[in-house]
Amino acid sequence: MENQKSLQLEKVTYDDKIVKAFVLAMLTFAGVAFLAGLLAALQLAYWPFNMNLEWITFGRLRPLHTNAAIFAFAGNAVFAGVYYSTQRLCKTRLFNDTLSWLHFWGWQAIILSAAITLPLGYSQGKEYAELEWPIDIAIAVIWVVFAVNFFGTLAKRKEKHIYVAIWFYIATILTVAMLHIVNSIEYPVSFMKSYPVWAGIQDALVQWWYGHNAVAFFLTTPFLGLMYYFIPKAVNRPVYSYRLSIVHFWALIFLYIWAGPHHLLNTAMPDWAQTLGMVFSVMLWAPSWGGMINGLLTLRGVWHLIRTEPIVKFLVTAVTFYGMSTFEGPLLSIKSVNNLGHYTDWIIGHVHGGALGWNGFMAFGMAYYLIPKLWRTELHSKSLANTHFWVALLGILLYYISMWASGITQGLMWRAIDVQGNLVYPDFVETVMKIVPLYWIRALGGLLFLIGFLIMIYNVIKTIQGAPANQYDTEVQVPVAVGHDTHPEKGHRKLEGLVTVFSVLSLIAVLVGSVIEIYPTLNLSKYVKEENAVEPYTPLELAGRDIYIAEGCYVCHSQMIRQLPGDVLRYGKASTIEESMYDHPFQWGSKRTGPDLARTGKKYPDLWHYRHMIDPRAVTPKSIMPNYPWLADKSTDFVGLRKKVAVMKALGVPYDDNTLAQADVMAEKQAKEIAEGLKAQGVTQDGLERKQVVALIAYLQSLGQKGKNKGVKDDKAVASSL
Amino acid sequence: MSQEQDLLIKGHEYDGIKEFDNPLPGWWLITFYATIIFAFIYVIHYEFGGGPTLSQELEVAMKEVQAAKPAASAAPQESEEELMKKAQDPKLLAIGAEVFTGKCASCHGNELQGLIGPNLTDKYWIHGKGKITDMLTVIKAGVADKGMPPWDGILKQDEMIAVSGFILSKKGSNPANPKAPQGEPVE
């Protein structure tokens, strides 16, 4: 009976409309992400491109660019590919049309809200997690909608086993949910302002556990799933090795989650966490390459398609870039290599090899495959698609190579020490001047990538215009019931029939590393030494810190002097864990386009900072930092300070009752002192004490100065005080 | 082709995608094992085997840096007269002018008239009594409370002498918009 039932066929209509919608959304936001990226690149090459506009100044534009690239462009690409392939791999329509469209419109609404709030300066100051708490909640809700729709589709599948692409989708959905929720636990202060519950090293570890695995589970595992579907389909060949799929899938998701601390090498992070982050990154090399091997060797026997088929060109090049990035990643995770590469453009190059090469080319290849199929027509022009490929590839190469050169050049200059024990290039701006020409080459690379994309858009518009008016969804005949094999199954094959068990095992695989690495730092006090204890920020300093975060200063300035001689000679005593123990969020940063600021307090007079914020070139003639004239116009929010201090206290920052009750009064008093000092030195501005620049100066002057014991303050005779 | 057919796994077909039963590539497997072995050795050495911690490594490196620094007392201390004589060398004055424009002018003004830092052309001194050795001391060590950074290690000894000479040569130049006098008058 069973067998007979499985021979009966029924008609299933795949939902192609939702895939079309996600494809179009992906192309739209790709344009936004690329344009924002190009402008950001130009701003670094030539600071006047900041245009004195607060909304698009680099510190705010860069989060907009990264969020658009990751969540809008890559996100919509993933949703399009997952919905298209899952229906076909499971021989069933998506679980629920309402959920599909809720997912679509919900996600686009989130993107729109990001595009509005990031330029306005609403930011949590955590990379790739800048969006404020109401949007964080919306992301979690829409992700759950996606999860329900996806797992619901698996539940009603007409295929007994789940294919390797589905494995990767499962790992993606579960892990991203976990990462997003844990990293976004925050305490709201007001609508659109919150502080994360994590502080200092806790926040550093949680943030980079999230940040690194956003790369792993938002930009890698889903794209591997797409690769496992679209490459065999595009070249019509079997996947190279099923066994390799199994081994590299489990190894990849188990090992990836541990690698986060490699973003924090040589810092104040406890040594054991750094060591784990490094060795797990090294062990990731082979599992990552397992995916590349399975992708590339699937082409055995049909390599000639690369010459003729633009789709295959894009997909194969994407996998090649994946291989390059996943070799470079473990390399950069080795402590001594990281010593050179960290905080430099090498990392920017590495990221863009992955983003433009792997994610970008996978998405383009997929779009060239999907669009003619979905719109039931032929691609308008194959040769234009080829042109797109070559122009974009040249763009990526210019980008990658210029950033390698820039990163290694600057990294070597930063740490060069002469025979007398002095820095060879003590002047930071000197090391910046050296790489500005490379910034122009990078911008040219970005421009070429964008031009290639515009060629694609023209091609896509022409293709869709030429499509038949009669658009319909794909209909197929599938068995009424899932077929049953007569012989019993063993091992992994059995698991592939049990989605729930499979999902639970995936979750356990990513939980192990997460718990082992994060749990110890939750007990922060274990690492805090009494002699290094610090005071909390004054209310005005806290207000200034929020301005620092809103302007995205952390995008270009680190606050973490690494345990390396080059860092210590340039910036002072290595940063301690205690110095950031009250920092919600931590601001260690990941890039030094400008110098480290961990010990910048009291290094320059208030007037220096005032002039520097209005026009950096007034005090550092060759600076490439944007002007921040609006800081002298906009007012500090004194009224909200009591609430902010109260929230900080609730999060464990030891403010006394007086500060709690008088936060705004204390802040106004401190602001007045700073403003009067500035006025005495000739600054003529009405109501200066209420302006943001004063609060920001208070914060900057406090950096490295919060030690309770004088020992921490000492920045002279650095070496002997170690 | 028949060989290929043998490699295909029966029953594995999803939307037309089939799977081969190729073994794991040997070189790939060796790489994987090698990284795992490396990881174990590394962790054991640095976490349990007494390998140096990062702060120990830093300490060693900083000792080397310190040892490389020429001891202050070893260098012959030049007298006020010798320094003044040296500082009047026009070549050195030109270097001093260059250093001043690059490093000092942002706070002391292009004409030394004083801006964030004090006027350097008047007869008033905050730190010292008008000697070139006083000036060198301030340039070297900085004045942390006032925001004058220490230049020792950033500028070379000769550059500091040059810029001191340049500043003294501008004394009494009466630039426009001078900053109000600070400190004590020194005749």
Side-chain angles (χ1 to χ4, degrees):
Chain A
M1 277 304 284
E2 279 286 321
N3 264 342
Q4 263 192 344
K5 207 178 169 194
S6 69
L7 288 175
Q8 285 175 12
L9 296 176
E10 66 171 340
K11 193 175 77 178
V12 164
T13 312
Y14 294 146
D15 189 351
D16 287 344
K17 285 193 197 74
I18 190 75
V19 183
K20 285 180 181 173
F22 274 116
V23 167
L24 295 178
M26 164 192 112
L27 292 175
T28 308
F29 290 117
V32 176
F34 301 162
L35 264 177
L38 178 60
L39 181 57
L42 289 169
Q43 290 174 342
L44 287 172
Y46 187 56
W47 67 267
F49 275 110
N50 286 287
M51 297 180 251
N52 285 353
L53 294 173
E54 57 179 300
W55 311 281
I56 56 154
T57 287
F58 188 78
R60 298 195 196 176
L61 183 66
R62 195 261 190 177
L64 183 71
H65 163 62
T66 53
N67 279 280
I70 300 170
F71 301 109
F73 166 52
N76 279 318
V78 167
F79 300 142
V82 167
Y83 278 167
Y84 182 88
S85 60
T86 303
Q87 298 186 78
R88 283 154 180 84
L89 292 167
C90 293
K91 293 199 181 115
T92 186
R93 188 182 174 90
L94 288 172
F95 175 59
N96 183 301
D97 285 4
T98 311
L99 288 181
S100 301
W101 288 102
L102 187 60
H103 175 196
F104 177 80
W105 288 111
W107 196 257
Q108 311 317 319
I110 287 165
I111 294 169
L112 194 65
S113 65
I116 293 168
T117 59
L118 290 173
L120 288 175
Y122 294 109
S123 167
Q124 293 199 42
K126 289 169 64 122
E127 284 181 73
Y128 326 125
E130 285 91 350
L131 301 175
E132 265 299 348
W133 66 272
I135 308 175
D136 275 345
I137 293 173
I139 293 171
V141 169
I142 296 302
W143 197 262
V144 169
V145 167
F146 172 41
V148 171
N149 206 19
F150 175 80
F151 283 106
T153 308
L154 295 194
K156 66 182 191 112
R157 71 188 186 280
K158 295 290 163 51
E159 187 79 69
K160 184 173 179 204
H161 302 95
I162 48 171
Y163 174 61
V164 51
I166 305 279
W167 312 349
F168 279 104
Y169 301 158
I170 290 174
T172 299
I173 292 173
L174 295 177
T175 315
V176 169
M178 171 182 82
L179 295 167
H180 172 68
I181 291 169
V182 174
N183 189 46
S184 303
I185 303 177
E186 55 228 4
Y187 199 134
V189 178
S190 60
F191 181 63
M192 297 311 287
K193 176 70 196 168
S194 65
Y195 294 123
V197 297
W198 319 111
I201 54 163
Q202 284 176 346
D203 197 33
L205 202 57
V206 171
Q207 161 63 27
W208 283 113
W209 167 78
Y210 163 87
H212 182 72
N213 289 300
V215 175
F217 290 90
F218 206 94
L219 299 176
T220 304
T221 53
F223 280 84
L224 282 168
L226 300 180
M227 176 196 88
Y228 273 112
Y229 181 81
F230 288 101
I231 286 191
K233 291 298 278 186
V235 303
N236 197 22
R237 292 281 299 163
V239 172
Y240 173 70
S241 169
Y242 166 64
R243 274 183 268 173
L244 185 57
S245 298
I246 296 172
V247 175
H248 102 93
F249 169 77
W250 289 104
L252 192 80
I253 67 165
F254 174 74
L255 295 172
Y256 231 131
I257 206 87
W258 296 74
H262 71 212
H263 291 257
L264 303 162
L265 294 180
N266 301 306
T267 66
M269 178 65 53
D271 278 26
W272 65 265
Q274 298 189 31
T275 297
L276 284 183
M278 170 183 151
V279 297
F280 275 89
S281 306
V282 171
M283 286 189 281
L284 255 181
W285 173 24
S288 302
W289 273 23
M292 174 187 71
I293 293 166
N294 241 354
L296 291 181
L297 292 189
T298 294
L299 270 89
R300 286 209 310 188
V302 289
W303 282 108
H304 59 88
L305 289 176
I306 295 182
R307 274 202 303 274
T308 52
E309 293 303 317
I311 295 169
V312 180
K313 272 195 180 79
F314 275 107
L315 296 177
V316 166
T317 312
V319 176
T320 310
F321 271 109
Y322 175 64
M324 276 167 68
S325 297
T326 54
F327 172 71
E328 195 181 27
L331 180 71
L332 277 165
S333 300
I334 295 171
K335 282 181 196 164
S336 48
V337 181
N338 194 272
N339 169 344
L340 174 68
H342 192 45
Y343 296 134
T344 75
D345 287 317
W346 189 354
I347 310 299
I348 313 301
H350 169 63
V351 169
H352 283 83
L356 304 175
W358 163 237
N359 300 124
F361 273 19
M362 276 301 296
F364 296 152
M366 185 180 87
Y368 281 121
Y369 175 90
L370 283 179
I371 288 166
K373 282 208 162 43
L374 289 170
W375 272 271
R376 306 184 184 284
T377 179
E378 296 278 309
L379 185 65
H380 168 69
S381 162
K382 231 177 184 183
S383 79
L384 278 180
N386 272 322
T387 313
H388 172 200
F389 172 81
W390 287 111
V391 173
L393 182 64
L394 182 62
I396 300 176
L397 291 178
L398 286 178
Y399 194 114
Y400 217 155
I401 293 167
S402 62
M403 288 298 96
W404 271 333
S406 164
I408 293 171
T409 302
Q410 204 180 23
L412 288 172
M413 289 176 87
W414 284 345
R415 69 179 192 180
I417 298 172
D418 66 16
V419 289
Q420 299 201 322
N422 294 320
L423 292 172
V424 180
Y425 306 98
D427 208 357
F428 189 90
V429 79
E430 193 180 352
T431 72
V432 176
M433 286 303 100
K434 200 84 178 171
I435 59 175
V436 165
L438 294 164
Y439 281 171
W440 283 108
I441 296 176
R442 182 252 300 268
L444 176 65
L447 177 67
L448 288 176
F449 195 81
L450 179 65
I451 289 171
F453 172 72
L454 293 176
I455 294 171
M456 176 188 194
I457 291 299
Y458 171 80
N459 207 355
V460 167
I461 290 172
K462 280 293 193 190
T463 304
I464 293 178
Q465 278 176 348
N470 172 27
Q471 292 285 310
Y472 52 92
D473 282 354
T474 309
E475 283 179 6
V476 286
Q477 299 287 329
V478 303
V480 173
V482 177
H484 284 271
D485 283 346
T486 39
H487 29 258
E489 292 166 342
K490 284 184 297 187
H492 203 271
R493 190 61 180 162
K494 193 170 175 187
L495 194 58
E496 289 160 28
L498 307 166
V499 168
T500 313
V501 182
F502 193 100
S503 304
V504 170
L505 288 177
S506 310
L507 193 60
I508 292 172
V510 296
L511 274 173
V512 173
S514 309
V515 171
I516 294 178
E517 277 187 351
I518 291 175
Y519 182 72
T521 54
L522 296 187
N523 189 7
L524 185 63
S525 57
K526 198 172 78 184
Y527 294 102
V528 173
K529 296 193 193 94
E530 189 44 41
E531 68 262 31
N532 293 342
V534 296
E535 305 271 7
Y537 297 107
T538 66
L540 186 67
E541 289 161 9
L542 187 63
R545 189 168 200 275
D546 285 339
I547 295 161
Y548 183 95
I549 290 168
E551 294 301 343
C553 304
Y554 65 94
V555 165
C556 291
H557 293 281
S558 59
Q559 288 185 23
M560 173 45 64
I561 303 167
R562 295 176 297 168
Q563 304 182 54
L564 298 170
D567 268 36
V568 171
L569 283 176
R570 188 179 298 275
Y571 303 113
K573 191 172 157 297
S575 294
T576 64
I577 285 174
E578 295 82 0
E579 282 167 322
S580 52
M581 66 186 284
Y582 300 135
D583 284 7
H584 299 262
F586 83 121
Q587 290 288 284
W588 293 6
S590 65
K591 177 72 175 65
R592 284 179 185 158
T593 301
D596 185 274
L597 299 180
R599 299 198 187 283
T600 214
K602 300 278 184 280
K603 197 174 167 193
Y604 305 102
D606 290 350
L607 183 59
W608 186 95
H609 283 294
Y610 179 84
R611 286 163 49 95
H612 185 247
M613 294 315 303
I614 310 296
D615 174 15
R617 278 143 297 276
V619 290
T620 308
K622 287 170 188 163
S623 172
I624 64 169
M625 182 169 133
N627 300 334
Y628 289 84
W630 58 89
L631 293 180
D633 292 331
K634 291 173 72 176
S635 295
T636 305
D637 172 22
F638 287 101
V639 182
L641 275 174
R642 284 191 209 185
K643 186 77 191 292
K644 284 181 176 176
V645 170
V647 169
M648 281 291 180
K649 171 128 185 168
L651 293 174
V653 181
Y655 282 109
D656 55 33
D657 292 343
N658 186 39
T659 315
L660 218 53
Q662 305 269 332
D664 47 345
V665 182
M666 289 168 73
E668 281 169 4
K669 185 164 169 269
Q670 193 187 355
K672 201 157 187 209
E673 283 166 18
I674 294 172
E676 272 167 11
L678 288 172
K679 279 179 185 160
Q681 295 193 67
V683 176
T684 52
Q685 190 186 346
D686 290 334
L688 182 61
E689 63 274 8
R690 302 206 67 82
K691 301 303 178 195
Q692 291 192 342
V693 67
V694 169
L696 185 59
I697 289 172
Y699 172 61
L700 291 172
Q701 295 290 29
S702 79
L703 291 173
Q705 297 290 320
K706 301 305 287 185
K708 280 181 181 165
N709 304 308
K710 292 285 176 196
V712 181
K713 282 190 175 183
D714 190 12
D715 58 358
K716 186 72 187 114
V718 160
S720 53
S721 71
L722 272 170
Chain B
M1 272 325 251
S2 67
Q3 240 182 336
E4 272 208 340
Q5 289 301 323
D6 295 343
L7 270 175
L8 280 174
I9 307 174
K10 276 204 192 94
H12 286 215
E13 186 172 345
Y14 313 83
D15 194 27
I17 301 173
K18 296 176 184 164
E19 293 180 300
F20 279 135
D21 191 26
N22 277 310
L24 306 175
W27 65 269
W28 177 84
L29 209 53
I30 290 168
T31 310
F32 195 17
Y33 287 145
T35 59
I36 293 171
I37 292 166
F38 167 79
F40 270 96
I41 295 172
Y42 189 93
V43 170
I44 289 167
H45 176 64
Y46 282 98
E47 296 304 315
F48 309 104
T53 63
L54 285 172
S55 62
Q56 285 165 346
E57 282 181 357
L58 176 64
E59 207 172 323
V60 171
M62 289 311 291
K63 272 190 184 138
E64 279 170 21
V65 167
Q66 283 309 102
K69 284 201 193 292
S73 55
Q77 209 69 325
E78 289 170 287
S79 70
E80 178 75 16
E81 290 71 30
E82 284 169 334
L83 281 172
M84 274 313 286
K85 204 174 150 200
K86 207 171 171 183
Q88 273 149 20
D89 175 359
K91 266 193 213 153
L92 214 59
L93 279 180
I95 294 173
E98 204 178 301
V99 171
F100 186 89
T101 312
K103 300 274 190 285
C104 318
S106 61
C107 285
H108 292 283
N110 285 328
E111 304 299 320
L112 292 73
Q113 76 276 20
L115 211 61
I116 295 171
N119 182 344
L120 299 176
T121 62
D122 61 17
K123 60 182 180 180
Y124 290 83
W125 282 67
I126 307 174
H127 309 282
K129 295 270 174 257
K131 291 185 184 153
I132 190 166
T133 40
D134 294 335
M135 189 167 295
L136 270 173
T137 309
V138 174
I139 292 173
K140 267 188 192 171
V143 185
D145 292 347
K146 304 276 181 190
M148 164 95 180
W151 292 99
D152 198 14
I154 298 178
L155 293 177
K156 296 191 185 75
Q157 174 77 5
D158 277 357
E159 287 175 325
M160 289 189 281
I161 294 171
V163 81
S164 304
F166 171 75
I167 292 168
L168 289 175
S169 78
K170 289 288 179 183
K171 200 173 171 205
S173 60
N174 286 324
N177 306 318
K179 200 175 176 189
Q182 293 164 280
E184 301 297 318
V186 174
E187 294 303 330

